[in-house]
């Protein structure tokens, strides 16, 4: 399966297992979503469990929160993460606080799906990476898969979770892994081990990182599309790097990070979001706090720039092989 098919399979499995699970959003019903992640679900489960909504993100999330408090498990889709900001107040002030403010009497078991990130020439309004905003909010879990296999298992776990989950889907790797070289032929998931996705139920526990590659020279922390870009650069440069795919930003598998950095003595963080206030800053702080006496070089960050995502200069903004390779040379030299 590719990642779109894996996400569709997860939704199908959960809707079949639990009548309280439903999907909603702009064009997710009859049309099956702009990327077809919900294709066929309305035909199979009916218009009351897979339905279209008006173009009002604040309304979509507000209604989903009410459904969750009532006992349902809605999976609303925000068509692009760039358009999630109108719903920010509902997510922050209502969904994230509901369990706390009601002393556990009510919960908001909603899973908000949204494609995010660049690499598709979407420009400034279809390429943003807003994960850092949500990791700052207590009460929301933030999940970002990097493979079809993980996408299905993590989405099932997110839907089963009793707290609100933001499930960000890196759209650049919907159809295949991306090594960051835009001028090379596209790849698909058919030849990748993580493209072998079981058709039935399985879950991957939230808060557990995955070691994509074991190594001893340094630790690289990444998630989403960047996992594949980093892998490609490491293979081409020959650096013996340990690559950790975080998978879940909140809750964070800090134990796996700490164990790896203490072993390697170096740490590099790669993400596509803007640098200032990005999640990499939090990771850098945590690594420094917990592993300071084991570090042989300063923590290095490779990120997007503090600008809107440019359409004409997409590959200059995108943390690609050149910038990652330069950072590798620097950290290994220190």
């Amino acid at each position: 399966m590719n990642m779109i098919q894996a996400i569709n399979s997860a939704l199908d499995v959960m809707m079949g297992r639990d009548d309280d699970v439903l999907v909603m959003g702009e064009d997710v019903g009859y049309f099956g979503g702009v990327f077809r992640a919900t294709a066929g679900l309305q035909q199979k489960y009916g218009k009351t469990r897979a339905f279209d909504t008006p173009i009002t993100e604040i309304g979509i999330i507000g209604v989903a929160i009410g459904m969750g408090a009532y006992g349902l498990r809605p999976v609303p889709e925000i068509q692009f993460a760039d358009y999630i900001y109108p719903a920010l107040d509902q997510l922050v002030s209502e969904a994230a606080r509901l369990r706390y403010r009601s002393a556990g009497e009510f919960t908001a078991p909603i899973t908000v799906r949204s494609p995010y990130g660049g690499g598709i020439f979407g420009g400034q309004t279809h390429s943003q990476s807003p994960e850092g905003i949500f990791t700052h909010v207590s009460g929301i879990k933030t999940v970002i898969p990097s493979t079809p296999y993980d996408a299905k298992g993590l989405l099932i776990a997110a839907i089963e979770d009793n707290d609100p989950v933001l499930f960000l889907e890196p759209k650049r790797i919907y159809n295949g892994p991306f090594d960051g070289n835009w001028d090379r032929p596209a790849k698909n998931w058919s030849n990748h081990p993580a493209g072998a996705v079981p058709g039935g139920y399985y879950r991957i526990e939230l808060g557990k990182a995955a070691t994509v590659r074991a190594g001893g020279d340094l630790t690289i922390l990444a998630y989403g599309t960047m996992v594949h870009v980093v892998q490609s650069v490491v293979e081409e440069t020959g650096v013996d790097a340990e690559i950790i795919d975080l998978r879940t930003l909140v809750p964070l598998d800090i134990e796996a990070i700490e164990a790896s950095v203490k072993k390697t003595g170096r740490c590099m963080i790669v993400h596509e979001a803007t640098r200032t206030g990005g999640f990499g800053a939090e990771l850098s702080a945590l690594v420094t706090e917990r592993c300071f006496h084991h570090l042989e070089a300063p923590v290095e960050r490779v990120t997007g720039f503090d600008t809107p995502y440019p359409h004409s200069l997409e590959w200059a903004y995108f943390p690609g092989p050149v910038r990652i390779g330069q950072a590798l040379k620097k950290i290994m030299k220190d």
Side-chain angles (χ1 to χ4, degrees), residues 110-301:
I110 69 173
T111 301
V112 183
R113 293 182 42 252
S114 192
Y116 93 109
I120 64 165
F121 290 101
Q124 63 180 6
T125 58
H126 293 80
S127 303
Q128 295 177 59
S129 300
E131 67 271 15
I133 295 172
F134 294 95
T135 59
H136 180 71
V137 180
S138 302
I140 296 177
K141 297 177 181 178
T142 305
V143 180
I144 302 178
S146 68
T147 67
Y149 183 88
D150 283 0
K152 180 173 180 178
L154 290 168
L155 182 53
I156 287 174
I159 294 171
E160 292 181 333
D161 199 284
N162 288 326
D163 288 311
V165 178
L166 178 64
F167 192 88
L168 292 174
E169 301 162 7
K171 55 184 177 288
R172 184 59 181 83
I173 57 173
Y174 264 155
N175 292 306
F178 179 55
D179 62 10
N181 294 285
W182 58 271
D183 52 347
R184 293 180 182 177
K187 301 176 182 178
N188 59 53
W189 287 109
S190 61
N191 297 319
H192 194 285
V197 180
Y201 172 93
Y202 69 93
R203 56 176 285 148
I204 296 173
E205 184 180 354
L206 304 185
K208 295 295 182 182
T211 301
V212 175
R213 182 188 188 280
D217 286 347
L218 81 155
T219 298
I220 303 179
L221 307 179
Y223 50 88
T225 302
M226 291 300 109
V227 172
H228 303 279
V229 179
V230 164
Q231 275 186 279
S232 176
V233 176
V234 166
E235 290 171 3
E236 291 186 5
T237 59
V239 176
D240 186 25
E242 183 151 290
I243 302 172
I244 305 293
D245 179 359
L246 299 182
R247 300 199 292 194
T248 305
L249 307 190
V250 178
L252 180 69
D253 191 351
I254 188 60
E255 290 80 11
I257 294 171
E258 184 176 354
S260 179
V261 175
K262 285 182 176 179
K263 178 180 74 172
T264 66
R266 289 179 170 86
C267 181
M268 188 166 82
I269 300 160
V270 183
H271 65 63
E272 195 177 343
T274 51
R275 186 178 183 87
T276 301
F279 192 63
E282 177 66 18
L283 290 171
S284 178
L286 287 170
V287 168
T288 302
E289 288 170 0
R290 292 169 172 260
C291 308
F292 180 79
H293 293 290
H294 293 81
L295 290 173
E296 298 177 18
V299 176
E300 188 73 19
R301 284 185 290 160

